[in-house]
Amino acid sequence: MGPIDELWEILTLVTVVALGGLAVLVALVRGGGGKTKTAPRPPRVDEKERAEELPSPEAPAEVENRGGGVAVEPEVVEPTAPEVERPESARGRLQRLRARLARSNSAIGNALLAVLSRGGLSESDWEDVEDTLLASDLGVEATEELVSSLRTQVKVDGTTDPEQVRRWLHDDLLRLVDPTMDRRIAASREGDHPAVILVVGVNGTGKTTTVGKLGRVLVAEDKDVVLGAADTFRAAAADQLQTWGERVGVPTVRSDREGADPASVAFEAARAGVEMEADVVLIDTAGRLHTKRGLMDELGKIKRVVEKVAPVSEVLLVLDATTGQNGMRQAEEFAREVDITGIVLTKMDGTAKGGIVVNVQRKLGVPVKLIGLGEGPDDLAPFDPEAFVSAIVG
Ligand SMILES: Nc1nc2c(ncn2[C@@H]2O[C@H](COP(=O)(O)OP(=O)(O)OP(=O)(O)O)[C@@H](O)[C@H]2O)c(=O)[nH]1
């Protein structure tokens, strides 16, 4: 064998060994990687720096031109909690929480059943029925419908059997609550975008708490969640939200500056959701009075700016169920400003005003999707018409 042949042999050997090594390396990297569903990844520093250096083609003019807000560089805060909780799954939550709903709302059912099973009902008895329904915030229209239906059934059947009366009441109430409405939360990726959910409402209704609780519901469903703290008005709101996220290993996009432009934070949250390939981005917004024009306009701006990155799949209006007629007015004003796709009724644990479910759905034509039944982290449940009506009439 000549020196040339020997050289060829050595070269071939080296190439084979190098290729083999490369193949092993690739296999190792693949085996250790893959998209983890439960551990969301903040953008790497080098990616973030690059994004800051390069003018972003999709950066919206509205973010540059930041109304009255202060310029922000929202940051992604990686969860640091040493122990990540496993939240309760959505299924069965309402069963667990049903007792709370019944505690305050069964008074309505009991009052109605007491009168209706009495027999030989006078006009004043029917007025009592009407007053009880109105006091539960059912609304005039639905109350009239329900009373008229019950009157007909009592007249035709002539029965005062409590079981039969309970069944009528149950069926009529269920019809009013409307089990046919689509109450699913749009929380799945669409194409290459995460779902984006905006949470809006007046001050103190429970928006931040609801975003935190909803994040837990979605984590329990194995969704990759990103939280956006666009409530830059209340100093503690971003901390509050971040704490909710940390407990379940979810990152929060926030600004440390009070008064930062909420649209900018919302935009960055949506962008982080896209970069992280998250399933859903939940954006908390500041409480605003429905009567303040400028603040209501700001909501429209937040939505428009977010939509430069990804379409907004849900706008959830959070209403405090204890606020009665005032809550209804808020709902109408918010609905005028942004397209509400679902309602969250909070504080249903402390009120006998469950009738608001029917009232608000009728006024807005959108379903109640979630109800808050306490201050505990898993005290938010998907709204289930049957369980709700059963809690009222037993
Ligand atoms: N009992 C009860 N309390 C609730 C429920 N949801 C929220 N809360 C309480 O309502 C209070 C206000 O909640 P937040 O989430 O801070 O309200 P917010 O709408 O974000 O407030 P702003 O940002 O000031 O507008 C807190 O004390 C919550 O614990 C619920 O379903 N039941």
Side-chain angles (χ1 to χ4, degrees), residues 41-92:
R41 175 184 71 83
R44 285 190 299 273
V45 174
D46 56 346
E47 284 175 3
K48 219 176 151 226
E49 278 167 2
R50 211 176 43 226
E52 280 160 7
E53 271 167 30
L54 297 172
S56 160
E58 72 275 36
E62 279 185 275
V63 170
E64 248 85 76
N65 175 20
R66 290 174 178 124
V70 177
V72 283
E73 298 268 336
E75 55 173 330
V76 182
V77 181
E78 196 177 356
T80 53
E83 286 205 7
V84 172
E85 293 172 22
R86 181 80 199 155
E88 182 187 7
S89 79
R91 207 170 341 133

Side-chain angles (χ1 to χ4, degrees), residues 58-74 196 198 228-233 253 255 259-271 281 283-286 288 295 297-309 312:
E58 72 275 36
E62 279 185 275
V63 170
E64 248 85 76
N65 175 20
R66 290 174 178 124
V70 177
V72 283
E73 298 268 336
V196 179
L198 269 186
D231 178 354
T232 56
F233 182 74
V253 176
S255 165
D261 180 19
S264 179
V265 178
F267 174 83
E268 293 299 341
R271 192 154 74 167
V281 180
I283 299 176
D284 183 27
T285 62
R288 62 202 69 230
L295 290 177
D297 289 346
E298 187 186 74
L299 272 189
K301 177 186 165 186
I302 293 175
K303 185 161 183 255
R304 281 195 307 278
V305 167
V306 165
E307 293 205 314
K308 312 239 170 185
V309 187
V312 170

Side-chain angles (χ1 to χ4, degrees), residues 202-209 213 231 234 240 287 346-347 349 372-375:
V202 305
N203 311 67
T205 50
K207 293 174 298 301
T208 307
T209 311
K213 289 176 179 174
D231 178 354
R234 186 162 60 90
Q240 198 183 327
T346 57
K347 311 186 192 179
D349 48 311
L373 285 156
E375 300 198 63

Side-chain angles (χ1 to χ4, degrees), residues 1-11:
M1 193 186 289
I4 301 276
D5 288 339
E6 267 176 29
L7 192 63
W8 268 116
E9 207 167 292
I10 289 165
L11 271 178

